Structures are given as structure tokens and as C-alpha cells.
């Protein structure tokens, strides 16, 4: 009788205050049956990681429009690791050039989405990441 | 989950490790096979001694903001605090956006503040069980005070609030007819009334309305229930509110009301689980019936229950 609702956290690290993208993804995930913990704008990587641990999410989604993604996304990955939650996948979104994408993936970011990506594709990535995470944690 | 990881989970719980606490709550919420072992491992005295405060009221009244202020005050007293913030699941998609945390982020790096968001998941049963278990896990992890925040609409939220030792109903001016609609039911369960956004126009009228209600709700010794005014966004009135809550708590512990409520809420959780466990069996029986969908549904239900009893007697 156990349940498999996916819980994810959507956060926006960094100083820019544009959360349209983050909110859009949060709503799309909700409409696809996810429970979305939304932490709002201007969060530090430490705050996002601590919340992800307390909420026991299966994935973390980050949005950044400021160009600070190159520092902030890997910082979240690192904070999760330090909190003993390195197994929680991090998915990023924003205006991110191709060369940064390669670099971010090398630093442990699971997937990156740029503007214009069909929302179904993003949902599919979250579904895959969550399903993989549930499998390994229940193994 | 393998045996070793259950052992290490219980170990982590005993050490109040945040990851273990988070995992444990998910396991009970998802009704995982390790749930019983987790709940049995908790320290009984810690669970008994914790105080559970329910905060309910219409969306936008300022519940999360007020909760964050209460956390600050509790922390300044050195208490470890747990928060269960419940929001409704979308009936269409089964998903939910849980945003109460936004107002509590200033505590997010405090290891002695555990915030857990929970969706109602549209279950008829199970929510009380899940939230009740989360309360116990947090208490077992050393939280001396636990706050349950829930939107005051619908029966399941009303049931949830019965898990609390003390319940505050938070209202605010300018929220329209919502308040009228939910007043009746909620006023019955509230132990005290909070008029938040006391800085806004209309707060005084609302306060006077609620004073009148509070007098109708006078307790046995003819004392009206308390009506507090707060400006949660500025932290005003929070100390006074907590003093009222503490007074009620002491009174309830002394009079035996506290224990009565705890056993009542325990019974409610048992009922909730029993319904949850029975539901799939009943549903299966209903769907298996090939007869015409006609006649008195209530009679049909009684027949199904009778049939289940016959089946049960046969196997036991
Ligand atoms: N003016 C005023 N605004 C407040 C007060 N308390 C909360 N708010 C605002 O009311 C809105 C809703 O608050 P929130 O805590 O999320 O309400 P909830 O839905 O009941 O949890 C937010 O924009 C708060 O900043 C208050 O005392 N005065
Ligand atoms: Mg809220």
C-alpha cells in the first residue's frame, strides 16, 4: 500500500529577483502530480540544501537568470554532499551557454534546461531523476 | 530498504540527524514497510512532553508569517521546534505547491528548527496518520514544541487540527466571505482566536465581532476564550499570544484535558488508519459486483460489510 508521490524542491539561488521561470516550472510540476516545495527567491546554496534534506525531496530544481549559475549550481551540489544528501539530483534551468552546460554537468548537475525547452521534456527529466532516486534509496 | 539501512536510519534518528528525520517522515507518509519500526523506536517521554500547537485559518491570514515569529520566540527560549505545514493537494493532478516555507526561511540554517511541508494528498484517511506520525518523529528527535499549520477548510483539515493540544484560529481583515464560510466549524475547535494584520483597516471591526463570538464560546467557568491581536509581519503581539497559549496549556495539563485530548487524537489516528486499510478491500468488493447499479446504495454498502464479515469469519 506504499505510495510513490514524487517530492521536489524548486529554489532560486542568487540575488536576482526574477522568479517567473521558477514559478512556471513549479506549476508545471504540480500539474503533473509532483509535490513541489517552493522556497522563493534569493536563497543561499546552504539554505536550499538544508531545506532539501528536511523535506526529503527526490530532486532539486534550480533556476538562475543572473549568470551566477556557474558558481551557484555546483555550490548547491556541494552543500547537498556536505549534508550527506549527495544522492539528491540537481536539475538547473536558465539562460546558460553551451560551454557552461558541459562544465556544470562535470560538476555534478544532472541536467540543464535553457529557455524554449518544451515543458514536457523538463517534466520527463524530473520524473526520470525522481524515479532513479526512489529506486536507489529503497534498494 | 535493507536491514542495515533501517538500522542506520534508526541510529541517525536517535542522533537527531536531519537526513534521518526527513527520511523517516517520508517513510511513514508513504506508508513504507519500515514505518512501524521507526515509530516504535521513538522515546516515549519526549513524545509525551512535547506541546503541539495547531494554527489554522483562511489562506492569506498570515499563518506562516505568525508561525515564523513563534519559532523565533521559542528559539530565543532555547526550545527546539518542529513545524508541519500542510497544504491542499490539487484534486485534478494530485500534485501540490507547498510554499509555507518561504515565510520561514530565516530559520532554514538553524539546526534546531525542523520544517516539513506536507500535502493532503486527497486521501480520505491517512492524513491524520501521516501528520500524527510526523509529530511523533519530530518529538522523538527532541522538538519540545511542534506547530501544525493548516488551511482551515474541509473536513480532513478539521480532523488534523485535532492532533494539536491547543489550536489557534488566525483571521485577518480583508479576506472577504471566506471567513464567514469557515467560521462556524473552526470556531468550535479553536481554543483561542487571533486577529492578525491588526495594522490593517477593518481589524478593529473584526476584533469586536470575534469578542462577541468569544463570549458565546465561554468555557465551563464562564470565561470567554481569548482573542489576541497580532501584527505577524512585525512580530507584534506574539509574546502576548504565547503567554495565552502557555496559560491554556498549564490549565489543560492540570485539569486532565491535555491527556483527554491526546487519547482522543490517538483514537482518531487509529480510526484514520483503519479506514485507510479497509478502503481498498471495500472498493474491490464494490467493483467486483456485477449487478445493476441501482437500488439503495446504503443497503448495498451494508451488504458488502456483511459479506466481508462472513469472509473474515471463514478465514479466522
Ligand atoms: N499588513 C500585514 N501583512 C501581513 C501580516 N502578517 C502577514 N502578512 C502578509 O500576508 C501575506 C500572507 O501571509 P502568509 O503568512 O503566507 O499567510 P498564510 O497563507 O495564512 O500562511 C504575506 O504577504 C504576509 O507578508 C500582518 O500582520 N500585517
Ligand atoms: Mg501558509
Amino acid at each position: 500500500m506504499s505510495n510513490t508521490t514524487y517530492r521536489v524542491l524548486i529554489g532560486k539561488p542568487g540575488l536576482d529577483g526574477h522568479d517567473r521561470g521558477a514559478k512556471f516550472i513549479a506549476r508545471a510540476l504540480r500539474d503533473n502530480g509532483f509535490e513541489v516545495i517552493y522556497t522563493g527567491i534569493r536563497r543561499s546554496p546552504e539554505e536550499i540544501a538544508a531545506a532539501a534534506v528536511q523535506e526529503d525531496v527526490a530532486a532539486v530544481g534550480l533556476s538562475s537568470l543572473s549568470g551566477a549559475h556557474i558558481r551557484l549550481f555546483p555550490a548547491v551540489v556541494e552543500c547537498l554532499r556536505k549534508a550527506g544528501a549527495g544522492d539528491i539530483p540537481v536539475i538547473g534551468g536558465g539562460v546558460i551557454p553551451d560551454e557552461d552546460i558541459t562544465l556544470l554537468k562535470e560538476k555534478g548537475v544532472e541536467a540543464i534546461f535553457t529557455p524554449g525547452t518544451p515543458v514536457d521534456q523538463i517534466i520527463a527529466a524530473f520524473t526520470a531523476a525522481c524515479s532513479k532516486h526512489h529506486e536507489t534509496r529503497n534498494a | 530498504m535493507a536491514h542495515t539501512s533501517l538500522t542506520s536510519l534508526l541510529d541517525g534518528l536517535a542522533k537527531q540527524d536531519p537526513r534521518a528525520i526527513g527520511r523517516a517522515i517520508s517513510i511513514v507518509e508513504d506508508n513504507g514497510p519500515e514505518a512501524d519500526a521507526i515509530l516504535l523506536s521513538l522515546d516515549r517521554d519526549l513524545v509525551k512532553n512535547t506541546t503541539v500547537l495547531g494554527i489554522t485559518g483562511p489562506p492569506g491570514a498570515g499563518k506562516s508569517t505568525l508561525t515564523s515569529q513563534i519559532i523565533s520566540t521559542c528559539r530565543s527560549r532555547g526550545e527546539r521546534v518542529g513545524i508541519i505545514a500542510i497544504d491542499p493537494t490539487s484534486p485534478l493532478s494530485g500534485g501540490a505547491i507547498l510554499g509555507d516555507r518561504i515565510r520561514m526561511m530565516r530559520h532554514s540554517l538553524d539546526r534546531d528548527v525542523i520544517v516539513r511541508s506536507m500535502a493532503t494528498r486527497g486521501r480520505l484517511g491517512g492524513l491524520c496518520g501521516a501528520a500524527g506520525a510526523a509529530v511523533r518523529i519530530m518529538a522523538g528527535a527532541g522538538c519540545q514544541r511542534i506547530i501544525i499549520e493548516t488551511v482551515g477548510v474541509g473536513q480532513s483539515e478539521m480532523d488534523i487540527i485535532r492532533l494539536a493540544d491547543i489550536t489557534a484560529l488566525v483571521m485577518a481583515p480583508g479576506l472577504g466571505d471566506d471567513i464567514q464560510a469557515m467560521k462556524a466549524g473552526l470556531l468550535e475547535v479553536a481554543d483561542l482566536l487571533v486577529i492578525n494584520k491588526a495594522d490593517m483597516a477593518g481589524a478593529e471591526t473584526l476584533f469586536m465581532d470575534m469578542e462577541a463570538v468569544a463570549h458565546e464560546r465561554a468555557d465551563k467557568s464562564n470565561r470567554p476564550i481569548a482573542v489576541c491581536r497580532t501584527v505577524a509581519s512585525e512580530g507584534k503581539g506574539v509574546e502576548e499570544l504565547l503567554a495565552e497559549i502557555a496559560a491554556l496549556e498549564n490549565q489543560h495539563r492540570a485539569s486532565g484535558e491535555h491527556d483527554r485530548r491526546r487519547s482522543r487524537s490517538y483514537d482518531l489516528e487509529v480510526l484514520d488508519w483503519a479506514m485507510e486499510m479497509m478502503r481498498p478491500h471495500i472498493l474491490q468488493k464494490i467493483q467486483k459486483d456485477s449487478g445493476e447499479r441501482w437500488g439503495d446504495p446504503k443497503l448495498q454498502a451494508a451488504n458488502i460489510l456483511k459479506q466481508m464479515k462472513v469472509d473474515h469469519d471463514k478465514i479466522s
Side-chain angles (χ1 to χ4, degrees), chain B residues 198-243:
Chain B
D199 57 324
M200 277 179 55
E204 212 42 40
T205 316
L206 185 58
F207 179 74
M208 284 184 315
D209 281 357
M210 288 306 122
E211 286 267 78
V213 173
H215 276 90
E216 283 167 31
R217 272 283 317 277
D219 63 14
K220 287 184 205 97
S221 51
N222 250 338
R223 244 184 10 169
I225 60 171
V227 188
C228 298
R229 271 174 284 203
T230 57
V231 183
S233 48
E234 295 165 24
K236 282 189 192 147
V238 176
E239 290 281 350
E240 291 82 351
L241 170 62
L242 283 174

Side-chain angles (χ1 to χ4, degrees), chain A residues 53-56, chain B residues 9 12-28 38 80 111 114-116 134 137-143:
Chain A
V53 166
Q54 290 193 345
E55 300 284 0
D56 191 44
Chain B
L9 180 74
L13 262 187
K15 290 186 183 126
Q16 307 188 346
D17 167 58
R19 190 92 219 266
I21 298 167
R23 281 299 306 129
I25 295 175
S26 301
I27 290 169
V28 295
I38 290 169
R80 191 166 147 85
R111 284 181 64 96
I114 304 172
V115 181
R116 181 65 178 224
I137 289 169
M138 287 181 174
C143 294

Side-chain angles (χ1 to χ4, degrees), chain B residues 11-316:
Chain B
D11 203 40
L13 262 187
K15 290 186 183 126
Q16 307 188 346
D17 167 58
R19 190 92 219 266
I21 298 167
R23 281 299 306 129
I25 295 175
S26 301
I27 290 169
V28 295
E29 191 183 17
D30 291 343
N31 203 5
E34 310 88 354
D36 294 344
I38 290 169
L39 293 173
L40 283 173
S41 78
L42 303 172
D43 184 306
R44 206 182 149 138
D45 285 336
L46 285 178
V47 176
K48 263 190 101 153
N49 291 333
T50 191
T51 304
V52 186
L53 173 64
I55 302 224
T56 189
K63 299 179 296 297
S64 300
T65 312
L66 185 62
T67 299
S68 185
Q69 295 288 0
I70 295 175
I71 301 171
S72 299
T73 308
C74 293
R75 291 296 301 127
S76 70
R77 296 174 183 170
E79 291 173 351
R80 191 166 147 85
V81 196
I83 296 90
I84 300 162
I86 302 169
D87 276 315
T89 291
S90 148
L92 286 178
S93 70
I97 292 187
L98 310 171
D100 294 317
R101 235 177 202 285
I102 298 178
R103 315 245 180 259
M104 305 175 198
M105 280 313 273
R106 86 168 98 129
H107 305 289
S108 59
L109 293 180
D110 185 341
R111 284 181 64 96
D112 289 314
V113 178
I114 304 172
V115 181
R116 181 65 178 224
S117 312
M118 203 174 259
T120 53
R121 293 197 180 171
R123 33 197 163 189
L124 280 179
L127 178 59
C128 281
V135 165
R136 279 194 285 277
I137 289 169
M138 287 181 174
C143 294
Q144 292 124 312
R145 178 172 299 272
I146 291 165
I147 303 170
I148 304 177
E149 176 191 334
T150 177
V151 174
V153 285
Q155 189 58 47
S156 62
E157 285 91 345
M158 294 278 289
D159 283 348
I160 278 286
I161 222 60
R162 288 177 203 273
L163 294 174
D165 298 322
I166 307 268
T167 296
L169 170 58
V170 182
M171 285 164 288
L175 294 177
D177 298 335
D178 277 10
I179 295 185
Q180 295 306 327
M182 59 178 60
K183 231 160 70 174
L186 279 172
L187 282 173
E188 272 167 42
V189 294
D191 298 300
L192 47 95
L193 307 177
V194 181
I195 312 298
N196 187 40
K197 306 198 188 181
D199 57 324
M200 277 179 55
E204 212 42 40
T205 316
L206 185 58
F207 179 74
M208 284 184 315
D209 281 357
M210 288 306 122
E211 286 267 78
V213 173
H215 276 90
E216 283 167 31
R217 272 283 317 277
D219 63 14
K220 287 184 205 97
S221 51
N222 250 338
R223 244 184 10 169
I225 60 171
V227 188
C228 298
R229 271 174 284 203
T230 57
V231 183
S233 48
E234 295 165 24
K236 282 189 192 147
V238 176
E239 290 281 350
E240 291 82 351
L241 170 62
L242 283 174
E244 287 289 351
I245 291 169
L248 266 178
E249 252 168 51
N250 292 335
Q251 194 185 317
H252 286 182
R253 282 194 195 257
S255 68
E257 176 67 10
H258 176 85
D259 291 337
R260 267 196 298 281
R261 288 187 180 195
R262 282 279 171 107
S263 23
R264 193 189 58 193
S265 97
Y266 182 89
D267 291 354
L268 203 69
E269 277 183 67
V270 175
L271 173 67
D272 201 32
W273 276 119
M275 303 289 263
E276 181 86 353
M277 288 170 185
M278 217 146 85
R279 206 177 139 76
H281 298 289
I282 298 175
L283 197 61
Q284 197 192 17
K285 283 253 182 266
I286 298 172
Q287 287 165 343
K288 252 186 17 209
D289 189 280
S290 56
E292 196 189 358
R293 265 58 180 162
W294 189 249
D296 185 359
K298 188 174 163 192
L299 212 61
Q300 179 67 1
N303 281 337
I304 284 172
L305 290 186
K306 227 179 273 163
Q307 186 56 45
M308 284 176 78
K309 187 178 177 327
V310 172
D311 293 350
H312 180 265
D313 290 347
K314 260 190 267 172
I315 46 175
S316 57

